[in-house]
Amino acid sequence: MFVDLAAVDRNASVIQNFADRQNWNVRPALKAFQCPQLCAYVMRQLPKPRGLVFRLRQVDQIMTAAPAGTDLMMGYPSTGGELRWFLGSQPPSGQRSYTLTILASSLENIEDLAGLARTTPRELPLNVALEFDSGEGRGGFVFEPEISEAIKLLRRAKRHLRLRATLCYDGWATLTGDQNYRLGVAKTASGFYKGYLAQLEVEGGDLYNPKTLIRNGPASSNYQNWAGRPEINEISPGSAYMYAGYLQTFDNQGLVRAATQCSPVLKDIGPYPSELITQIPQPPITAHAWYLLGSAWPDSSGTQPAFIYPPGVADNMRAGGRAAIVAPNGALAVDDYVLLWPNQSGEGVDYFGSLHAVRNGRLLDVWPTFERPTDLQ
């Protein structure tokens, strides 16, 4: 797996320029990178290093590479095991200073945080972000009585918990690239968000500073359709930095492919087409068949990465496809590589133990990806 840092730079500029025109901050979704050094590389390009992290176990890993003063916020609520492990542990010795905001998507989350805050060796007060549902039923606070109770819990625990942010993500915008549909999703989600923020101001305005409250919103697939909507003050694209394959039908102007999977050619199967078992060629011979060591790297939807090199490479469906391929005559040899474009960025990286960072065709470094959990956090 390699990442082209020149392409990342270009994509980062496209994202930041759009955000600047809207007076938004950018908080990259770090799950798109799955690598502490790449997370740090992207965040160092921002006016202030910020990131949206999705597992508490990755926070300390990220801070081995990220600059001092990095501002991290959780994009998912943490499991009870994660919270107990993280808030019960000492920060690593010599760790750079950073800010962390933990996401609460339920009353139970807030209650757990309030209880664990009484004994944690981590810095207090704990920063909290409230997740609001965007009208899609994806989770988070949605009903007024529940939001009222969340505000009361935060007020009772204000010695240990500090409301710092809100999050409302319109995840269903990824269902289709249709512009009218995605505009409708943005309109609906921002309308819900406006109502939540109004209730928060009326009932909990004493718990936060409205000038500094982080109001996090959309990601790669739909942030452009939130232009001019005052409910948010920051966005969290992730896959756009790498230009994942699924973004081909979304707002991808100016983006270039930055992430490439490499699958070595393992075996020469022979001319294509040929009879199964006997392998006797069946003229006219139009291509050559090969077997790969990898390439069956689907994302969570089951979508396989797209072949991008050599030109004309395709699945050999007669032999099962994916690891079995056909390519134009003379295009490949054993130990060559077939290159693929992952449909989802983070899921594409997650198959590999390292990223090869390149620029202008030169290998600069090899970066380990996130360590795997070894327990039931």
Side-chain angles (χ1 to χ4, degrees):
M1 182 79 183
F2 68 81
V3 57
D4 182 345
L5 297 184
V8 173
D9 293 349
R10 175 171 171 174
N11 296 340
S13 179
V14 169
I15 295 166
Q16 189 65 55
N17 288 341
F18 189 93
D20 286 345
R21 293 195 295 272
Q22 303 298 322
N23 293 315
W24 292 339
N25 291 321
V26 179
R27 184 182 300 274
L30 303 183
K31 68 176 181 178
F33 313 133
Q34 292 296 312
C35 167
Q37 284 83 358
L38 183 55
C39 290
Y41 181 86
V42 170
M43 291 191 293
R44 287 180 186 275
Q45 299 197 48
L46 302 169
K48 177 181 177 181
R50 294 181 175 87
L52 199 66
V53 61
F54 291 80
R55 291 298 303 271
L56 273 175
R57 63 179 172 82
Q58 295 174 349
V59 169
D60 290 338
Q61 294 182 56
I62 289 170
M63 289 312 303
T64 63
T70 291
D71 181 348
L72 297 176
M73 187 167 88
M74 300 301 299
Y76 288 159
S78 302
T79 67
E82 273 192 306
L83 283 174
R84 290 189 295 272
W85 165 78
F86 184 82
L87 294 177
S89 64
Q90 291 280 353
S93 177
Q95 186 178 65
R96 298 180 182 93
S97 63
Y98 70 98
T99 300
L100 175 66
T101 303
I102 300 175
L103 189 68
S105 299
S106 67
L107 297 176
E108 291 77 11
N109 290 157
I110 299 175
E111 291 168 347
D112 286 346
L113 285 171
L116 293 167
R118 298 188 182 98
T119 58
T120 182
R122 302 274 178 167
E123 184 178 348
L124 292 176
L126 300 177
N127 294 308
V128 177
L130 295 179
E131 180 181 14
F132 294 125
D133 185 83
S134 60
E136 301 168 349
R138 291 174 56 92
F141 294 98
V142 60
F143 300 113
E144 290 187 6
E146 191 177 35
I147 295 172
S148 296
E149 185 61 28
I151 293 168
K152 293 175 184 177
L153 287 174
L154 289 171
R155 184 174 290 115
R156 286 200 293 268
K158 65 180 180 181
R159 286 183 55 199
H160 299 105
L161 305 181
R162 173 172 54 203
L163 179 60
R164 185 170 182 258
T166 58
L167 180 150
C168 187
Y169 171 53
D170 61 342
W172 281 16
T174 60
L175 292 182
T176 173
D178 180 77
Q179 176 70 354
N180 289 328
Y181 167 80
R182 291 186 297 113
L183 279 168
V185 169
K187 181 179 180 180
T188 299
S190 62
F192 273 91
Y193 210 169
K194 181 179 180 180
Y196 299 139
L197 291 170
Q199 181 181 357
L200 189 62
E201 181 180 5
V202 170
E203 299 181 22
D206 58 306
L207 298 177
Y208 65 94
N209 182 343
K211 294 181 179 179
T212 60
L213 182 71
I214 296 166
R215 306 189 304 277
N216 187 272
S220 296
S221 64
N222 211 33
Y223 70 85
Q224 293 191 25
N225 287 325
W226 283 67
R229 301 183 186 277
E231 291 77 24
I232 65 169
N233 56 20
E234 73 172 30
I235 56 174
S236 287
S239 291
Y241 283 90
M242 305 281 265
Y243 189 23
Y246 86 91
L247 288 173
Q248 292 177 83
T249 57
F250 290 83
D251 300 315
N252 56 28
Q253 296 81 5
L255 301 181
V256 291
R257 188 174 60 244
T260 305
Q261 297 168 325
C262 309
S263 185
V265 177
L266 185 64
K267 291 188 289 187
D268 181 341
I269 300 177
Y272 181 87
S274 63
E275 292 184 2
L276 296 178
I277 309 299
T278 64
Q279 296 296 297
I280 297 174
Q282 295 180 319
I285 301 303
T286 59
H288 203 88
W290 306 90
Y291 198 84
L292 304 181
L293 185 59
S295 86
W297 299 312
D299 64 14
S300 58
S301 71
T303 303
Q304 299 280 4
F307 291 118
I308 55 176
Y309 180 85
V313 65
D315 288 306
N316 181 354
M317 299 310 299
R318 288 165 52 87
R322 256 316 103 160
I325 63 162
V326 294
N329 292 318
L332 288 172
V334 171
D335 290 339
D336 283 348
Y337 281 87
V338 171
L339 305 185
L340 303 101
W341 183 13
N343 191 57
Q344 290 281 354
S345 176
E347 294 174 0
V349 173
D350 204 34
Y351 285 102
F352 300 86
S354 63
L355 287 181
H356 289 63
V358 302
R359 185 185 297 276
N360 299 326
R362 295 183 58 194
L363 177 64
L364 302 181
D365 206 350
V366 179
W367 293 334
T369 51
F370 284 129
E371 295 177 6
R372 303 285 183 173
T374 57
D375 53 26
L376 297 179
Q377 294 167 11

